[in-house]
């Protein structure tokens, strides 16, 4: 083992001098050939702040973890913080890939303290960073004190768009371990309108460097047809940002998400509810149309929950509920509405899965079968996984907005609730990490709008063909009733 450690230390000395570059990586079970952008990122030991930006499946995570291991192994006694928004994000999204890439026998994972010890004395500290700004005052203070006490040789943050600048700045000041030759802050990001765009692009700080990548750069490592499917199944905005990896402010926009024209056009559809049912506004009674329900389960004293029912046939908002109530009550209301609006077929519920949304999904599972299933694809393992609910982050919120914008442009959406329409006016692009790229100011709400966008998720405007199918279905139903009456005149 000592010969192995000495061999990597010698390569580290050569690496610092620029005598060698890494173009592939041997995990012990397979050999990873790095693409051009991955090699650029992995071999950049300067400047201090390095960011790898790109859309989905661009190979960012592989390059990120390969470099993490190399810095640890080439420079003994390194101490590197590995961070994401939450520790759960690290455990579920990063550690499986890390264990797949790090050569077996070169490290020991200690789950309790959140530590990975490398055989040469280097160590990786796993840290969920949301508590530094989103926890209680006591938790935040303790977390910041823990950070201030660290002496690090490096920091690695995955999904930088989910992290506040104050955290980044605090961690930057911890790069002070003086017995290691390389001190660097390495991060990955998807293109988003947040503070890092200014930090690395529009007004770049000293000692910063941005490396951009795309699916096309990583095409050799993706299944055949994967990129074509991504382009075919999404809109142009998705293609430019998440396939091509463009980080253009004209694409991300600034200010209001929805134009004043949208607000003015939707004013024509606002109407009072026909009746109220235990706090639920009923704008339109159930008919033989197809419906979908969106649920934003925000709870507590700051944000209410919101439930929206829309017709997939007409595009109308037909029912609405908003209140400060516990998760069990939200689930009860959503299921009540789903059963009401299931005359033609069972209504799909699309709940947000982020944060408290997991508790809502557990409550819904006990009461109702038809819950939205999201599918994710791991291009490294070539496997698909399925989970309940809509997980909201920078990328998926942009997809929600793109979907809603497309439906609005086709004049399909018809909003009934004035409260919902009011939220269109205050919904803005923002660089606040906790709002995932867009949201209402701190003194306003966007829960009704989020629930509405979830209700319209994956909804296609009715076409003439669908109208004809529906008419044919009605004709068949009427014919069946007529024949039944002929056979049973007493009925």
């Amino acid at each position: 083992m000592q010969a192995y450690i000495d061999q990597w230390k010698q390569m580290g000395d050569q690496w610092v001098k620029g005598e060698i570059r890494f173009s592939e990586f041997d995990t012990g079970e397979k050999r990873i050939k790095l693409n051009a952008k991955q090699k650029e990122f992995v071999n950049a030991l300067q400047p201090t702040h390095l960011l790898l930006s790109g859309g989905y499946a661009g190979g960012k995570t592989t390059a990120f973890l390969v470099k993490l291991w190399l810095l640890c192994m080439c420079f003994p006694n390194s101490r590197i913080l590995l961070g994401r928004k939450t520790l759960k994000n690290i455990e579920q999204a990063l550690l499986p890939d890390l264990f797949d890439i790090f050569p077996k026998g070169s490290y020991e994972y200690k789950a309790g303290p959140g530590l990975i010890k490398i055989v040469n004395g280097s160590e990786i500290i796993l840290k969920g960073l949301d508590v530094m700004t989103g926890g209680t005052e006591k938790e935040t203070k303790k977390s910041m004190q823990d950070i201030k006490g660290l002496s690090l040789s490096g920091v690695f943050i995955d999904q930088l768009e989910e992290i506040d600048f104050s955290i980044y700045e605090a961690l930057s000041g911890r790069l002070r371990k003086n017995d290691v030759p390389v001190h660097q802050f390495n991060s990955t990001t998807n293109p988003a309108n947040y503070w890092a765009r200014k930090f690395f692009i529009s007004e770049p700080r000293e000692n910063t460097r941005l490396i951009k990548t795309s699916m096309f750069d990583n095409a050799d490592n993706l299944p055949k047809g994967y990129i074509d499917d991504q382009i075919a199944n999404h809109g142009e905005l998705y293609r430019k940002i998440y396939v091509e990896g463009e980080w253009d402010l004209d694409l991300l926009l600034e200010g209001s998400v929805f134009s004043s024209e949208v607000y003015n056009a939707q004013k024509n559809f606002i109407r009072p509810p026909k009746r109220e049912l235990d706090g639920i506004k009923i704008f339109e009674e159930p008919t033989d149309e197809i419906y979908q329900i969106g649920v934003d389960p925000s709870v507590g004293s700051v944000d209410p929950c919101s439930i929206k029912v829309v017709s997939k046939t007409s595009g109308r908002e037909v029912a609405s509920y908003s209140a400060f109530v516990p998760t069990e009550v939200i689930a009860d209301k959503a299921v009540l509405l789903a059963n009401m609006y299931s005359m033609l077929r069972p209504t799909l519920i699309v709940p947000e899965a982020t944060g408290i949304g997991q508790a809502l999904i557990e409550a819904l599972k006990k009461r109702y079968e038809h819950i939205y299933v999201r599918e994710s694809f791991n291009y490294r393992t070539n496997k698909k996984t399925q989970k309940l609910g809509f997980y909201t982050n920078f990328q998926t919120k942009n997809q929600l907005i793109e979907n809603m914008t497309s439906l609005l442009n086709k004049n399909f959406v018809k909003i009934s609730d004035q409260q919902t329409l009011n939220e269109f006016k205050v919904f803005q692009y923002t660089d606040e990490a906790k709002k995932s790229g867009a949201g209402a100011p701190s003194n306003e709400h966007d829960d009704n709008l989020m629930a509405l966008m979830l209700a319209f998720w994956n909804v296609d405007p009715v076409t003439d063909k669908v109208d004809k199918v529906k008419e044919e279905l009605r004709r068949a139903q009427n014919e069946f009733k007529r024949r039944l009456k002929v056979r049973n005149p007493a009925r």
Side-chain angles (χ1 to χ4, degrees):
M1 179 60 71
Q2 188 58 48
Y4 179 71
I5 294 172
D6 291 341
Q7 179 187 12
W8 278 104
K9 184 179 183 304
Q10 182 180 359
M11 282 195 284
D13 294 337
Q14 294 174 300
W15 193 18
V16 169
K17 295 175 183 177
E19 295 174 358
I20 63 170
R21 280 174 55 86
F22 294 99
S23 59
E24 55 184 29
F25 184 78
D26 190 351
T27 70
E29 297 183 352
K30 60 184 175 182
R31 188 173 293 276
I32 300 172
K33 185 177 180 180
L34 302 175
N35 65 46
K37 293 299 179 72
Q38 289 174 326
K39 284 188 281 189
E40 185 179 353
F41 176 78
V42 166
N43 288 287
L45 298 180
Q46 292 291 339
T48 304
H49 301 271
L50 187 64
L51 179 62
L52 182 60
S53 169
Y56 298 143
K60 298 189 302 295
T61 301
T62 297
F64 181 80
L65 293 174
V66 166
K67 186 171 186 177
L68 175 60
W69 189 89
L70 288 173
L71 287 178
C72 287
M73 201 66 208
C74 288
F75 310 117
N77 301 313
S78 292
R79 183 181 298 121
I80 297 176
L81 183 144
L82 175 61
R84 269 197 72 165
K85 183 178 181 180
T86 67
L87 189 58
K88 188 175 181 179
N89 290 153
I90 296 175
E91 293 169 344
Q92 294 185 347
L94 271 183
L95 287 188
D97 283 339
L98 184 149
F99 296 149
D100 192 31
I101 289 174
F102 280 25
K104 289 179 174 55
S106 68
Y107 68 95
E108 179 185 7
Y109 170 51
K110 296 180 176 293
L115 192 68
I116 297 174
K117 297 186 73 67
I118 308 298
V119 292
N120 64 353
S122 294
E123 59 184 21
I124 300 168
I125 303 166
L126 309 183
K127 188 75 172 176
L129 301 172
D130 62 335
V131 73
M132 294 177 66
T133 55
T136 65
E137 184 177 350
K138 184 178 180 181
E139 289 172 334
T140 300
K141 186 175 180 180
K142 181 180 183 302
S143 186
M144 290 300 287
Q145 285 300 120
D146 290 343
I147 290 297
K148 289 179 180 178
L150 291 174
S151 178
L152 302 171
S153 59
V155 178
F156 276 63
I157 293 183
D158 188 37
Q159 302 295 114
L160 186 62
E161 66 269 25
E162 298 177 348
I163 307 302
D164 286 331
F165 178 63
S166 60
I167 299 175
Y168 189 94
E169 201 169 33
L171 290 172
S172 296
R174 304 305 103 197
L175 297 176
R176 59 188 185 186
K177 198 170 189 297
N178 59 16
D179 58 344
V180 177
V182 175
H183 298 81
Q184 196 173 50
F185 206 128
N186 288 274
S187 306
T188 69
T189 189
N190 292 116
N193 182 23
Y194 74 113
W195 61 265
R197 191 182 182 283
K198 180 178 180 181
F199 192 88
F200 286 92
I201 300 178
S202 61
E203 298 178 24
R205 299 281 186 94
E206 291 185 8
N207 294 317
T208 62
R209 180 179 175 187
L210 173 70
I211 297 174
K212 296 181 182 179
T213 187
S214 73
M215 281 190 197
F216 296 106
D217 293 310
N218 199 40
D220 290 343
N221 296 316
L222 298 174
K224 184 179 180 180
Y226 179 79
I227 297 178
D228 291 337
D229 287 344
Q230 291 293 303
I231 293 173
N233 294 323
H234 296 90
E236 185 176 355
L237 182 63
Y238 178 95
R239 175 181 62 79
K240 288 182 177 179
I241 295 176
Y242 301 116
V243 176
E244 298 176 7
E246 291 187 24
W247 201 352
D248 186 340
L249 196 58
D250 290 338
L251 294 176
L252 301 170
L253 305 177
E254 285 200 80
S256 297
V257 174
F258 300 103
S259 68
S260 59
E261 286 79 6
V262 166
Y263 179 85
N264 292 330
Q266 288 295 323
K267 285 194 297 185
N268 298 317
F269 304 112
I270 299 300
R271 52 183 168 163
K274 290 185 175 181
R275 65 185 177 103
E276 290 203 14
L277 174 66
D278 196 19
I280 300 170
K281 299 176 185 176
I282 305 295
F283 297 101
E284 189 175 293
E285 299 293 347
T287 65
D288 57 347
E289 296 186 350
I290 302 171
Y291 300 95
Q292 188 158 295
I293 295 176
V295 187
D296 184 334
S298 301
V299 295
S301 60
V302 178
D303 293 310
C305 78
S306 180
I307 304 173
K308 294 291 182 183
V309 186
V310 302
S311 168
K312 295 176 68 174
T313 308
S314 67
R316 290 189 295 270
E317 177 187 7
V318 300
S320 175
Y321 177 77
S322 180
F324 293 92
V325 293
T327 299
E328 292 292 323
V329 176
I330 301 172
D332 287 339
K333 299 290 186 184
V335 173
L336 170 64
L337 284 165
N339 288 327
M340 280 180 60
Y341 288 89
S342 291
M343 294 183 68
L344 186 61
R345 70 170 64 166
T347 293
L348 182 68
I349 298 178
V350 186
E352 185 181 19
T354 317
I356 194 65
Q358 288 299 321
L360 171 64
I361 288 170
E362 291 302 315
L364 285 172
K365 283 165 57 178
K366 300 173 184 176
R367 298 164 168 83
Y368 196 71
E369 288 184 59
H370 304 281
I371 303 172
Y372 171 74
V373 178
R374 69 184 188 274
E375 191 174 80
S376 60
F377 181 80
N378 187 322
Y379 71 93
R380 295 188 64 254
T381 61
N382 201 21
K383 292 181 180 179
K384 293 180 179 179
T385 58
Q386 294 185 329
K387 295 182 180 180
L388 294 177
F390 187 97
Y391 186 84
T392 306
N393 55 27
F394 273 84
Q395 295 76 45
T396 58
K397 182 172 278 192
N398 269 332
Q399 292 173 42
L400 274 180
I401 292 169
E402 181 184 7
N403 179 70
M404 177 59 76
T405 300
S406 175
L407 295 177
L408 287 165
N409 289 340
K410 294 173 181 176
N411 299 316
F412 181 70
V413 176
K414 303 169 186 69
I415 300 169
S416 302
D417 191 359
Q418 181 67 55
Q419 188 177 1
T420 306
L421 184 56
N422 290 341
E423 293 182 6
F424 272 73
K425 296 178 72 174
V426 298
F427 196 66
Q428 300 177 336
Y429 286 102
T430 175
D431 62 0
E432 291 185 50
K434 64 182 180 180
K435 294 181 180 177
S436 298
S442 57
N443 59 334
E444 302 284 353
H445 297 292
D446 59 19
D447 312 276
N448 286 290
L449 177 53
M450 285 300 300
L452 186 75
M453 290 196 291
L454 290 169
F456 276 109
W457 177 241
N458 280 346
V459 171
D460 291 324
V462 175
T463 63
D464 291 338
K465 182 178 179 181
V466 175
D467 277 335
K468 290 176 182 177
V469 170
K470 183 181 174 184
E471 183 60 34
E472 183 64 22
L473 177 62
R474 284 178 176 169
R475 188 199 62 76
Q477 289 174 333
N478 291 334
E479 179 65 16
F480 175 77
K481 291 176 182 177
R482 186 189 67 77
R483 291 183 180 180
L484 187 64
K485 190 173 182 178
V486 169
R487 291 181 180 179
N488 302 278
R491 292 188 180 185

